[in-house]
Amino acid sequence: MTATGPDLLAPLDLAFWNIETAEHPMHLGALGVFEADGPGAALHAYELLAARAAGVPGLRMRIAGVLVPVGGAARVPVAEFDPLDHVRIAEPVADFHAAAGALMERPLDRARPPWEAHVLPSADGASFAVLFKFHHALADGLRALTLAAAVMDPMDLPAARAPKDEPAPRRGLRLPFPGLREITLGDLDPRRYPGHARSLAAGAVQAVSIGASVARATWGVRTSPALTSKPSGERATAGVVLDLDDVHRVRKSAGGTVNDVLIAIVAGAVRRWLDERGDGSEGVEPRALIPVSRRRPRTAHPQGNRLSGYLLRLPVTEPDPEQRLRVVRAAMDRHKDAGPNRGAGAVALLADHLPPLGHRLGGSFVGQNARLLFDLLVTSVPLPSLGLRLGGCPLTEVFPLAPLAQGQSLAVAVSTYRGRVHYGLVADAQAVPDLAVLARAVTEELPALTAACAP
């Protein structure tokens, strides 16, 4: 609860909550691998997570419907919170990713705070993994990272700078209605309302523009059946680790950004994968949705999703790795010049123009038609550069795992951590039984790109 009422879900959070189905849960995840310091490391990690979770307020929040606005929902604290409902330890496993895939396909309990942490001991005892799952309505990637970091070992951080003097907040008239924010005297100034009207008109124009861009983005689309599927509800995950120094060498030689290189690697890997599985990459240009954060620094409610995106046609049909990177770089530059509030990739902004009841009634329809908007997700998840530990055991690898939209077979999430790039792949297990082949293709693409871009 906030000082002025319940913590209402932002429009995009509400959309994520309502488009979820049992076969397509809308939770994101992260699979962290830790080096064990002894035979009891995994059990100790489980006990620490359960003990620390009880002291993190954000982990006590569940999603509940509200009377006002109609169709809305809010994050509210549960009266009785038992961390053992959320933190679990498995039997020793031989393959962390195989175990993570089975766990990722299970929906979170919507009657409880929608998150889980699964401790996975390795069969050889040399390591253990923790799979965190957070519903996208509870936390986006950055907020999920904050909540997960809160149950890690404390870190010695530099002392914070002294805060600058800030003007005192204006006094307001507090209304005794749940869900309504505090009203200040400025809100009662009639001169403000023409501006509100202009804002509404601008929003309508933006919605029409985005809708037209989405329609144009479907023209001439040639994708592969491997990237779209009849939903099975089964999940598979895989992870790939690359050297960040190699990525930087490509960037310095070819120009652009690290993100351009990472997206070009996905394009090349998809090309290799399609050719190897016999589907063929000729003429294929799948639409990749690249999420872009619109969150302002030091926002009052950092847990709310504030996303837009760029819709990028991956140059899968291009045989030359360096040229694929040039195409990706040019497309990303065009999107950045236009800004994240325009184009088909900004479709998430349409959530702002729907009333809460519209999200509730139309959620199923939107979820069923996600495959018409894009073919696969390629998202970047920020991680701290400082080394994380749990029970004194260092985190050595961390693979972000994105939700898989209905009718789509593949989602790719990327993070950099401690000088290495981690790709987390999530796929429909029936549509993509050869996810290991795609993971190998990601591994092979960076050396090919490095060789192509060598001076």
Side-chain angles (χ1 to χ4, degrees):
M1 302 282 283
T2 67
T4 56
D7 183 11
L8 292 174
L9 296 190
L12 191 55
D13 297 329
L14 196 59
F16 285 134
W17 189 246
N18 283 298
I19 66 176
E20 178 174 71
T21 66
E23 294 77 20
H24 285 84
M26 291 305 297
H27 55 250
L28 49 87
L31 180 67
V33 180
F34 297 82
E35 180 182 329
D37 61 2
L43 179 59
H44 182 46
Y46 162 73
E47 293 170 345
L48 282 176
L49 289 173
R52 292 171 179 174
V56 181
L59 297 178
R60 293 172 168 265
M61 309 297 282
R62 71 181 183 91
I63 310 297
V66 296
L67 295 177
V68 179
V70 177
R75 301 177 189 87
V76 298
V78 295
E80 296 182 1
F81 175 70
D82 186 352
L84 296 183
D85 290 333
H86 305 268
V87 181
R88 295 146 195 182
I89 186 168
E91 295 295 323
V93 300
D95 186 332
F96 290 142
H97 282 287
L103 291 169
M104 283 295 288
E105 69 188 39
R106 299 179 190 174
L108 294 165
D109 187 343
R110 291 168 66 96
R112 291 174 174 164
W115 70 275
E116 292 175 353
H118 296 265
V119 179
L120 309 173
S122 67
D124 60 9
S127 61
F128 65 90
V130 178
L131 173 68
F132 287 99
K133 294 168 55 177
F134 294 95
H135 198 286
H136 224 316
L138 178 70
D140 63 1
L142 187 56
R143 177 65 175 171
L145 172 63
T146 302
L147 292 173
V151 293
M152 295 289 114
D153 292 352
M155 293 186 293
D156 294 327
L157 299 176
R161 295 181 180 179
K164 296 181 180 179
D165 292 335
E166 296 182 358
R170 296 176 293 173
R171 287 189 173 274
L173 306 175
R174 183 166 299 175
L175 297 183
F177 298 106
L180 294 182
R181 64 176 178 81
E182 186 173 313
I183 295 181
T184 66
L185 294 178
D187 294 315
L188 305 180
D189 186 346
R191 292 174 296 179
R192 293 192 58 192
Y193 290 99
H196 287 311
R198 287 194 298 271
S199 177
L200 290 173
V205 171
Q206 181 190 47
V208 171
S209 174
I210 293 173
S213 297
V214 169
R216 289 194 298 270
T218 63
W219 298 347
V221 170
R222 298 190 65 185
T223 187
S224 169
L227 297 173
T228 58
S229 67
K230 183 178 180 180
S232 72
E234 298 181 23
R235 293 290 179 269
T237 75
V240 178
V241 181
L242 304 179
D243 193 316
L244 184 57
D245 287 340
D246 291 340
V247 174
H248 277 299
R249 276 190 280 271
V250 172
R251 179 191 62 79
K252 290 177 182 178
S253 175
T257 67
V258 165
N259 201 42
D260 295 340
V261 178
L262 299 180
I263 294 172
I265 288 173
V266 173
V270 170
R271 174 183 172 84
R272 291 170 179 269
W273 172 60
L274 292 178
D275 287 343
E276 184 165 343
R277 76 190 328 247
D279 291 350
S281 59
E282 184 64 32
V284 174
E285 288 186 320
R287 299 161 299 167
L289 180 63
I290 316 292
V292 177
S293 175
R294 296 170 56 242
R295 176 178 291 165
R296 294 180 179 178
R298 300 181 182 179
T299 180
H301 299 287
Q303 66 269 40
N305 278 285
R306 299 291 296 168
L307 292 174
S308 182
Y310 302 141
L311 193 66
L312 177 70
R313 292 201 182 192
L314 294 180
V316 169
T317 193
E318 172 55 54
D320 178 49
E322 186 176 14
Q323 182 58 26
R324 281 198 296 271
L325 176 54
R326 289 197 190 102
V327 173
V328 167
R329 178 186 175 187
M332 290 297 288
D333 286 345
R334 287 194 299 271
H335 284 304
K336 291 172 188 175
D337 289 342
N341 297 327
R342 299 174 58 186
V347 66
L349 300 184
L350 296 180
D352 294 340
H353 301 286
L354 282 178
L357 187 58
H359 285 291
R360 177 174 293 184
L361 298 178
S364 176
F365 174 79
V366 172
Q368 293 172 8
N369 289 279
R371 62 183 177 83
L372 301 178
L373 304 176
F374 59 97
D375 301 305
L376 75 159
L377 181 73
V378 182
T379 184
S380 177
V381 181
L383 289 176
S385 58
L386 298 173
L388 298 175
R389 291 176 176 269
L390 180 57
C393 299
L395 176 66
T396 59
E397 298 176 338
V398 56
F399 302 96
L401 303 171
L404 193 61
Q406 186 172 347
Q408 294 172 333
S409 302
L410 178 66
V412 181
V414 193
S415 287
T416 58
Y417 176 71
R418 307 285 285 175
R420 297 196 293 177
V421 178
H422 294 78
Y423 281 87
L425 311 179
V426 178
D428 184 290
Q430 288 191 17
V432 186
D434 56 347
L435 187 61
V437 176
L438 177 59
R440 187 180 72 243
V442 173
T443 303
E444 294 170 346
E445 185 60 22
L446 180 55
L449 188 55
T450 302
C453 296

